[in-house]
Amino acid sequence: MSRKVIRNAHIISIDPEIGVVPRGDILIEGSKIAAIGSDLDAGDAEVIDGEGRIAIPGFVDTHRHTWQALLRATGADWTLAQYFAGVRGVMGDLYTPDDMKIGNHLGAIAALDAGITTLYDWSHNNNTPDHASAAVEGLKAAGMRAVFGYGNSNAEWVPVSDKPTDFADVARVRREYFASDDQLVTMGFAARGNQFATMRVTREDFIKARELGLRISVHMGDGLWA
């Protein structure tokens, strides 16, 4: 088991039992924080110098379309309608499974670089089973804590859609990659909701997602479709 200790950092723990430790140490054993305090006995653990730095819990990003990392700044001055036309209407259909994998991987690494250690990947460009698998693999390879929110294919997103979700593939991804809910990357369901799908389809989506034990996330209140 690997052991590391961060020495002499200004620790802001957000834990009332630990509080703020002005010059503190954080002992990490494997993937767990084993101890927090001052002048910890860490034995032969690898030392990381925290002098002059602040150690805080990582930030949580609750909604990121991570696959779009390859298109960053493309539509910085676009309206929502222009985004739908350009990113979803054009680029979404052009993405290959490799694009999904690279986009998710780079997007997750960019999140880590910004101090985000937990991410909800609201993945709504799973055009084929290969796209969905590649998105999961790219996310997992980044090594961060994340929820892969399985969303619909690009073609199933024309408001207001009456196209059903491919739940055979949702179940496959659940079975192949997320048989356990106790792992670094887990699974949710990114539903179109009744903003972007009919009530019949929305009800079916919610029922089937719940049957698979998936938590559901939806967009609410964005633009004309609200």
Side-chain angles (χ1 to χ4, degrees), residues 2 30 38 40 46 55 60 65 69 84 88-89 93 98 102 111 114 116 120 135 163-165 169 191 199 212:
S2 66
S38 299
L40 293 179
E46 176 188 346
V60 178
H65 301 304
F84 272 112
R88 305 306 309 282
D93 283 341
D98 280 345
I102 295 168
I116 296 165
Y120 191 105
K163 300 179 178 70
T165 299
D169 195 55
M199 284 301 296
L212 291 172

Side-chain angles (χ1 to χ4, degrees), residues 29-226:
E29 296 181 344
S31 61
K32 305 287 187 181
I33 293 176
I36 296 176
S38 299
D39 300 318
L40 293 179
D41 180 5
D44 60 354
E46 176 188 346
V47 176
I48 299 171
D49 185 11
E51 183 76 33
R53 297 178 180 273
I54 298 172
I56 62 174
F59 294 109
V60 178
D61 186 335
T62 61
H63 189 108
R64 179 179 293 221
H65 301 304
T66 318
W67 66 273
Q68 294 177 6
L70 301 182
L71 306 175
R72 178 168 291 175
T74 298
D77 60 349
W78 287 2
T79 65
L80 182 62
Q82 288 171 324
Y83 159 82
F84 272 112
V87 174
R88 305 306 309 282
V90 177
M91 297 308 300
D93 283 341
L94 294 175
Y95 258 59
T96 66
D98 280 345
D99 294 330
M100 290 293 288
K101 185 173 184 177
I102 295 168
N104 258 25
H105 188 60
L106 291 180
I109 289 174
L112 284 170
D113 188 55
I116 296 165
T117 57
T118 301
L119 168 70
Y120 191 105
D121 174 29
W122 218 99
S123 185
H124 61 344
N125 198 55
N126 296 304
N127 298 333
T128 68
D130 287 342
H131 282 70
S133 293
V136 173
E137 290 164 6
L139 187 63
K140 283 192 168 187
M144 75 183 307
R145 184 172 299 283
V147 178
F148 174 71
Y150 190 116
N152 291 73
S153 73
N154 198 56
E156 293 165 358
W157 262 89
V158 180
V160 171
S161 179
D162 61 356
K163 300 179 178 70
T165 299
D166 181 3
F167 267 96
D169 195 55
V170 180
R172 176 194 66 83
V173 170
R174 175 68 155 153
R175 182 175 62 253
E176 290 184 10
Y177 295 98
F178 303 104
S180 169
D181 290 326
D182 184 21
Q183 53 190 49
L184 197 63
V185 182
T186 55
M187 185 177 179
F189 181 65
R192 290 164 291 177
N194 62 310
Q195 220 177 308
F196 297 100
T198 64
M199 284 301 296
R200 178 188 61 78
V201 169
T202 297
R203 183 175 184 274
E204 181 179 87
D205 281 352
F206 276 49
I207 289 172
K208 290 186 175 180
R210 286 173 175 166
E211 288 173 352
L212 291 172
L214 301 176
R215 293 182 177 180
I216 301 163
S217 173
V218 296
H219 291 88
M220 292 296 292
D222 52 330
L224 296 174
W225 295 275

